[in-house]
Amino acid sequence: MISKLYIVATPIGNLGDVTLRAIETLKNVDLILCEDTRQTKKLLDKYGIKKELLSYHSHSKLSKVEKIFELLEEGKDLALVSDAGTPGISDPGTVLVSKVISRVSLDVKVIPIPGPTALIAALSASGLPTHEFTYLGFLPHKKGREKIFKEITSAKRTIVFYESPHRILKTLESLQKFVPDKKVCLARELTKIYEEFKTGTAAELLEYLKQNPEKQRGEFVVIVA
Ligand code: SAM
C-alpha cells in the first residue's frame, strides 16, 4: 500500500495565511509531524482540527525517525509541518524528506502542499530585483562567515538570507564593511502586527535600528540588491 507524506506549508505569522488544501490535508491525514506541538496546536485550534501530533526536530533521535518509517510502512498518511512557513526551507524538514526518499523499502509518495515562505514574501514586496536571486539560508556564525560576505561583494544576483534579532546589528556592520554602497532591505515580522520593510545602505539601516531599539526585535529576512 502506498502511503503519503504531505509537506504542508503553514503561516509565517498571520494564521489566515493557510491554503484550503493545507487545511483539508491536515484534517485528513492520520498524524501530523511538527517541530513544536504548542506552535502547531495554535493553527489546528484556529481551524478546528483535532489530530494526533508527533514532534520531529533537528535533534530527534534515530528511534523517532524509525517510528516515522514504521507509520509509513503501515500505510499511514502523514503531514509534515514546521513552526512557520514551508517545511525544508531552513528548518528540519529537509533531513526527514531526504531520509524518507532514500529509504528504498518504503513505498511513499511525497506531496508538497505549497504556501507561505518568508524569503518569497520578503522578496515580493521588497522592490529589489527578483528575476534572479541566491538564497543563503542562515549565515554561518563563525567559520565561513567572512568568506560569505566576500562572495556577496562580487554577487551578480540579489542575495537573500535569514537572520536572528541577536545578530542583526553584527550582520549590518559586516554589510557596511563589505558592501557599503549596495541597497539592503530588512523585511521584519512579515504578516504580523509590526511588519516592516526598510531599505537603505547598511550604514543607514544600522543607524535606524540603533535609534529605534524596538525595531531590532522579531524575525528578519535580509535582502541585498
Ligand atoms: N520554513 C520557514 C520559511 O519557509 O520561511 C523558515 C524557518 S527558519 C527556522 C526561521 C527564520 O525564517 C526566522 O529566523 C526568520 O529569519 C525567517 N522568518 C520566518 N518567519 C518570518 C516572518 N514572519 N518575518 C520575517 N522573517 C521570518
Side-chain angles (χ1 to χ4, degrees):
M1 179 196 256
I2 297 185
S3 50
K4 298 189 190 79
L5 175 63
Y6 294 93
I7 313 303
V8 182
T10 58
I12 55 170
N14 187 320
L15 288 184
D17 292 333
V18 62
T19 67
L20 295 174
R21 195 168 165 229
I23 293 172
E24 279 310 302
T25 304
L26 295 176
K27 276 184 180 161
N28 291 334
V29 289
D30 295 297
L31 185 138
I32 299 171
L33 307 171
C34 61
E35 285 182 74
D36 180 344
T37 52
R38 285 163 306 177
Q39 189 68 17
T40 300
K41 259 189 102 15
K42 286 184 208 159
L43 179 72
L44 299 189
D45 287 349
K46 163 105 178 150
Y47 292 98
I49 302 170
K50 290 193 176 21
K51 193 66 59 177
E52 189 185 341
L53 298 175
L54 182 67
S55 76
Y56 172 79
H57 41 78
S58 45
H59 309 297
S60 285
K61 296 203 177 97
L62 204 59
S63 58
K64 185 62 79 67
V65 179
E66 286 300 331
K67 163 95 184 144
I68 294 168
F69 286 165
E70 269 170 35
L71 290 164
L72 291 167
E73 268 158 11
E74 285 166 16
K76 297 268 193 303
D77 289 339
L78 309 182
L80 172 68
V81 300
S82 52
D83 280 349
T86 301
I89 305 301
S90 299
D91 63 35
T94 328
V95 180
L96 182 66
V97 172
S98 134
K99 281 185 173 155
V100 167
I101 289 173
S102 54
R103 173 90 163 202
V104 282
S105 62
L106 277 182
D107 206 359
V108 180
K109 202 163 178 223
V110 179
I111 302 170
I113 308 290
T117 193
L119 76 117
I120 299 297
L123 277 169
S124 72
S126 68
L128 300 185
T130 56
H131 54 291
E132 281 187 68
F133 63 87
T134 304
Y135 171 59
L136 303 178
F138 286 100
L139 303 187
H141 290 182
K142 291 199 178 85
K143 202 163 174 273
R145 194 172 161 87
E146 175 124 345
K147 184 167 165 266
I148 292 264
F149 282 107
K150 282 189 183 143
E151 281 169 16
I152 293 177
T153 313
S154 55
K156 299 272 188 298
R157 301 178 174 87
T158 295
I159 300 286
V160 194
F161 59 91
Y162 287 165
E163 193 48 281
S164 81
H166 317 290
R167 312 184 70 82
I168 193 70
L169 292 182
K170 197 165 174 265
T171 292
L172 285 172
E173 280 162 11
S174 300
L175 289 173
Q176 184 182 16
K177 177 175 162 199
F178 285 95
V179 286
D181 301 325
K182 287 201 191 233
K183 242 191 216 176
V184 179
C185 173
L186 291 186
R188 188 173 77 88
E189 292 288 90
L190 294 167
T191 77
K192 304 186 207 176
I193 299 171
Y194 296 109
E195 176 179 271
E196 184 181 23
F197 284 82
K198 190 81 185 164
T199 304
T201 62
E204 286 165 349
L205 295 174
L206 253 181
E207 183 59 21
Y208 177 71
L209 292 193
K210 284 182 179 164
Q211 295 289 331
N212 303 279
E214 74 283 3
K215 311 261 183 195
Q216 296 170 22
R217 292 200 279 268
E219 298 192 281
F220 288 91
V221 180
V222 183
I223 308 175
V224 184

